Amino acid sequence: MTNLERTEVRIPTILRPYTKGEKVVGASGTTVSEIISSLESDFPGLADRLLEKGELRRFINIYINDEDVRFMGSLEAPVKNGDSITILPAVAGGQM
Amino acid sequence: MVLQVLKAHVEAIFAQASREYPDEACGVILGPAGLDRGEVLTPMVNSAHSPTFYEFESKELLALYRSVDDHDQEIVVIYHSHTETSAYPSRTDIAYASEPGAHYVLVSNRAEIAPKTEFRSFRIVDGVVTEENVEILDSF
C-alpha cells in the first residue's frame, strides 16, 4: 500500500518549538515509524522527543484517528490515506 | 502570579480526593482561551489507580484535548492529590509536566494533617517549579 498523500499530524504545545509554532503539520508514511522519520527530516530533534531506544516513549501518546497506537501495533501501526494523527504527552505524575 | 479558583471547585476537588482515597485523584479545570480563568471542573479517571501515581486515561485524554480545541478553551488547571505527602510537586510531577501554560494544582489529604488539607498551585516550566498564590472566590 502506498501513501502518497501527506498525513495531518497534530503537534502538542510542548513540541511546537520544533515545528516553528505550527500546531498541525504534514508527514508521509505508511506506518507510525515512517511518519516519525518524515517528521524528523522536516523538524530535526522531534523524533528524540517521541522515541527512546527505538521504542515509543512511555509518556508520549500517539493516536491514529481515535485509537491509541499502543493497541494497534505501536510504531508498526498502519497509517492509511486520510488518517489523522495526534501526538499528546501523557498527563501524569504522582507522589512517589 | 496568582491562580483564581472557585470555592465550589476547591470543595469538589477535595470531595473527589476523599472518594478516590487512597488512590490519587486527578482532573482539570477548563476555561475560555486566553482568560486564565478556570470555569469548568472536569474530573478525570486515574488510569494508574494507584496511591502513588496518576495518569489521565489515554482515550479520555484525547477526548479532552479535542473538546478543548473545538470549544476554543484552554486547560487552566491540572490537579491531582497526594495522599501521603505534602501538596508540592514530586520529582515525578516535575519530570512529566508538559503544559507550560497550565497551573499545576496539588492537593494533599494525607491523614496526618486531617481535618486540615492543603491546596497549592505551581507553574512547572522546563523543570523549574514556581509556586503562586491562590485566591479562592465565590464567583468570578
Side-chain angles (χ1 to χ4, degrees):
Chain A
M1 184 177 63
T2 58
N3 183 2
L4 301 173
E5 285 180 25
R6 298 281 276 176
T7 298
E8 184 180 275
V9 182
R10 302 185 78 80
I11 305 292
T13 311
I14 198 156
L15 297 180
R16 285 180 207 155
Y18 292 91
T19 60
K20 301 177 184 71
E22 290 297 320
K23 192 173 176 177
V24 181
V25 300
S28 318
T30 59
T31 62
V32 171
S33 185
E34 288 177 16
I35 293 281
I36 292 174
S37 298
S38 166
L39 289 171
E40 176 66 18
S41 65
D42 288 339
F43 310 110
L46 188 52
D48 187 50
R49 299 296 301 273
L50 306 177
L51 304 175
E52 187 173 39
K53 296 177 185 150
E55 301 287 332
L56 183 58
R57 284 183 181 270
R58 164 69 180 87
F59 291 104
I60 289 288
N61 296 335
I62 299 182
Y63 305 87
I64 299 174
N65 304 318
D66 294 333
E67 293 298 323
D68 187 328
V69 301
R70 285 200 174 80
F71 303 108
M72 45 196 302
S74 201
L75 294 178
E76 298 317 310
V79 177
K80 300 187 296 295
N81 283 340
D83 281 348
S84 152
I85 292 183
T86 304
I87 300 171
L88 286 178
V91 177
Q95 66 192 345
M96 35 179 210
Chain B
M1 287 296 297
V2 58
L3 169 68
Q4 295 190 316
V5 63
L6 293 175
K7 187 161 179 260
H9 287 167
V10 174
E11 290 168 354
I13 288 169
F14 280 115
Q16 180 194 356
S18 297
R19 271 197 313 278
E20 299 186 18
Y21 186 92
D23 289 352
E24 296 195 7
C26 59
V28 293
I29 307 177
L30 307 176
L35 291 188
D36 200 32
R37 196 171 70 198
E39 296 181 349
V40 184
L41 180 72
T42 308
M44 300 288 286
V45 171
N46 175 3
S47 67
H49 298 292
S50 161
T52 56
F53 199 73
Y54 81 97
E55 180 173 3
F56 288 6
E57 194 276 321
S58 157
K59 279 205 160 188
E60 212 181 35
L61 177 74
L62 178 66
L64 172 71
Y65 274 83
R66 288 228 171 113
S67 170
V68 162
D69 258 8
D70 290 349
H71 297 93
D72 202 23
Q73 289 173 314
E74 63 188 2
I75 297 175
V76 179
V77 168
I78 297 173
Y79 68 84
H80 74 282
S81 63
H82 282 178
T83 56
E84 297 290 342
T85 60
S86 69
Y88 192 86
S90 66
R91 270 187 296 177
T92 317
D93 292 332
I94 297 165
Y96 300 134
S98 54
E99 284 296 348
H103 303 266
Y104 280 87
V105 163
L106 281 284
V107 306
S108 177
N109 58 344
R110 63 191 189 278
E112 77 184 57
I113 60 167
K116 285 191 189 163
T117 52
E118 291 172 348
F119 186 104
R120 297 169 72 179
S121 181
F122 305 86
R123 294 286 184 173
I124 308 176
V125 181
D126 293 333
V128 178
V129 176
T130 311
E131 184 157 17
E132 52 193 7
N133 290 322
V134 177
E135 267 185 65
I136 298 175
L137 309 172
D138 287 327
S139 64
F140 287 125

